[in-house]
Amino acid sequence: MKKSYISLLGGIIALFFVLNVNAQELDHDDHEHHDHTHGHKTEIGIGNSAVYFFGEEEFSYGLHLHVVRNIGHSNFGVGLAYERIFDEHHHNTIGIVGSYTPADRLHFALTPGIAFEGEDWDEKNFALHFETAYDFQVGNIHMGPMVELGYNFEHVHLSMGLHIGFGL
């Protein structure tokens, strides 16, 4: 069972790598010095998603919130994230986000953190989330599809939904 999770994580990391290489080639061809931050230094993001738990084979609704600050004029950002999955266990995750935007509209994030159920801090676990989103810009708002893989010692889940970001 654990081998399948490790294989799945390895496959997603490989997919991110391939997408990153392709995005960099496209970005280099179209415009060599484009600002990937959409002109803002900070993003407040909201992700609404359907969440599938692999071990339990069930779906739930998930809400993801984050604040990410761009590092200088680079394609990297850092911030804080919170995820709540509205299931019978009331899954919560708090973490530190590291984001990377290799090309205009394409975003990757890695969020290590702490997962706990409900308000029970006694049984907290290490958690790790991999997220990717592709957005469409409308003024200071950008939105588009997102996919996230979440892992902690108790479960693995896949989230698919809509990311909405507000630039400040």
Side-chain angles (χ1 to χ4, degrees):
M1 186 72 122
K2 288 189 178 193
K3 277 189 171 184
S4 64
Y5 291 140
I6 292 169
S7 298
L8 180 63
L9 285 172
I12 288 175
I13 291 169
L15 177 64
F16 285 164
F17 177 76
V18 169
L19 289 172
N20 181 21
V21 170
N22 289 337
Q24 284 181 349
E25 289 176 10
L26 286 172
D27 187 50
H28 181 71
D29 292 342
D30 292 343
H31 43 284
E32 199 162 321
H33 299 287
H34 184 73
D35 180 14
H36 299 293
T37 64
H38 299 297
H40 57 260
K41 295 180 181 181
T42 304
E43 177 199 74
I44 297 174
I46 300 169
N48 290 290
S49 59
V51 179
Y52 178 75
F53 289 95
F54 289 102
E56 298 167 8
E57 298 181 352
E58 63 185 35
F59 284 93
S60 295
Y61 167 72
L63 178 67
H64 171 96
L65 306 169
H66 67 254
V67 176
V68 175
R69 176 88 172 166
N70 185 260
I71 300 172
H73 295 289
S74 72
N75 296 350
F76 295 93
V78 66
L80 298 173
Y82 171 73
E83 179 182 64
R84 172 67 185 257
I85 300 174
F86 296 88
D87 64 344
E88 64 188 55
H89 303 290
H90 307 287
H91 287 96
N92 294 282
T93 304
I94 299 171
I96 297 172
V97 180
S99 69
Y100 176 57
T101 304
D104 193 31
R105 301 185 190 189
L106 182 61
H107 312 279
F108 297 106
L110 179 63
T111 307
I114 298 170
F116 57 98
E117 293 182 3
E119 296 177 8
D120 187 7
W121 279 90
D122 294 336
E123 296 197 28
K124 53 191 171 290
N125 292 305
F126 170 77
L128 186 62
H129 287 122
F130 299 98
E131 181 182 329
T132 185
Y134 187 84
D135 65 35
F136 301 94
Q137 191 75 22
V138 180
N140 249 5
I141 299 173
H142 53 272
M143 63 182 77
M146 63 167 268
V147 176
E148 176 189 78
L149 180 67
Y151 166 82
N152 70 40
F153 294 126
E154 303 223 347
H155 74 269
V156 174
H157 67 266
L158 179 68
S159 303
M160 297 176 70
L162 177 67
H163 172 266
I164 301 171
F166 305 92
L168 303 174

